[in-house]
Amino acid sequence: MSNIRTYMNDTVEEMKDKVSWPTYSELQNNSVLVLIGSLIFALVVGAMDFGFDTVLTWFYNQF
């Protein structure tokens, strides 16, 4: 049981003293970058899906 208590105390100490937390403006900027990157990735994957669907539909309709 003392091992768990030591682990928890060390974890709390490290989170308070050793972790460098971003400022609120840095957090906002990074969140916007992640949102934009996710949207671009979704558009690329959606375009690829549409393209493959179109090509395969045309291919299967040939037979």
Side-chain angles (χ1 to χ4, degrees):
M1 195 66 157
S2 68
N3 288 339
I4 294 173
R5 185 175 298 132
T6 302
Y7 173 76
M8 294 302 289
N9 288 337
D10 289 346
T11 301
V12 169
E13 179 184 336
E14 186 165 343
M15 295 299 277
K16 287 195 308 189
D17 299 332
K18 297 180 182 177
V19 174
S20 63
W21 296 99
T23 63
Y24 187 70
S25 63
E26 289 174 333
L27 187 63
Q28 283 181 321
N29 291 336
N30 290 339
S31 297
V32 169
L33 287 176
V34 168
L35 180 63
I36 291 171
S38 297
L39 289 173
I40 291 171
F41 184 73
L43 289 173
V44 168
V45 170
M48 290 172 56
D49 181 50
F50 180 75
F52 285 131
D53 182 53
T54 303
V55 169
L56 289 175
T57 301
W58 172 81
F59 179 76
Y60 289 136
N61 285 336
Q62 298 302 312
F63 300 105

